[in-house]
Amino acid sequence: MKKGVLISFEGGEGSGKTVQIKRLRDRLTKAGKDVVVVREPGGTVISEQIREVLLSPKNIGMAYTTEVLLFQAARAQIFREIVLPSLAAGKVVLMDRSRDSSTVYQGMVRGFGVDLIEGLNELSTKKTYPDLTFLLDVPVETGLERRNHTSKMDRLDMEAREFHEQVRRGYLTLARKNDHHRWVIINSQQSIDAISERIRDEVRARKIV
Ligand code: TYD
């Protein structure tokens, strides 16, 4: 069924995903590829509404179980509406966060367990894994500093420092296990150019585009 290529970007706050996704999109588009860029949670009218509920600082009282299910609901919608049809049409889909965000934030850090969350991921993605996942790894201190310069705080950004440390460790654990041989860990303290060259090399080396 799947003919296109799915590439996801993961990492904690201020890891620099967005700028790298833009660069890869431009590079691939110049090379004549049909590229679709989406972010999670979000990316469709329904998923953006769910995003608003999830991230609004007003919803400080949200139960963790609600959070788990809303992230999956937003994911189910974007896979159904955008990701799966784009892959079926042979496009390259670049995702700013996807299933691994839930595995780390909800499965590992919130403590729901990797197995439960992976089960829900299977449901919401219709058993679709990225072909390649870049983990942009940055020390928590650096990431939070970068973020403070660029954006306002959402509900999850306001978590304590230890939360962000757990997120970082969770990602590294997952990426080092490297199930499905799709993870590439990149030190995101390097220059933007160095990171984007590494990403280009990995994409080329795997001949996925
Ligand atoms: P966003 O502003 O997109 O964060 P970032 O710029 O860091 O990517 O907000 C998404 C937040 O939601 C982020 O803190 C990570 C969190 N998240 C989860 O906890 N679970 C998930 O499944 C997803 C997709 C995101």
Side-chain angles (χ1 to χ4, degrees), residues 11-14 17-18 39-41 51 55 67 71 75 96-99 101-103 105-106 154 156-157 163:
E13 310 304 319
K17 292 179 274 102
T18 312
R39 68 167 177 189
E40 278 199 31
R51 177 186 177 88
L55 299 183
E67 184 181 290
F71 278 119
R75 180 164 304 126
D96 189 340
R97 299 192 178 281
S98 194
R99 58 185 302 148
S101 285
S102 282
T103 304
Y105 283 79
Q106 283 69 50
D154 68 38
L156 288 156
D157 289 339
F163 174 90

Side-chain angles (χ1 to χ4, degrees), residues 41-56:
T44 74
V45 172
I46 293 172
S47 304
E48 288 291 333
Q49 291 176 76
I50 299 172
R51 177 186 177 88
E52 177 61 29
V53 175
L54 271 164
L55 299 183
S56 168

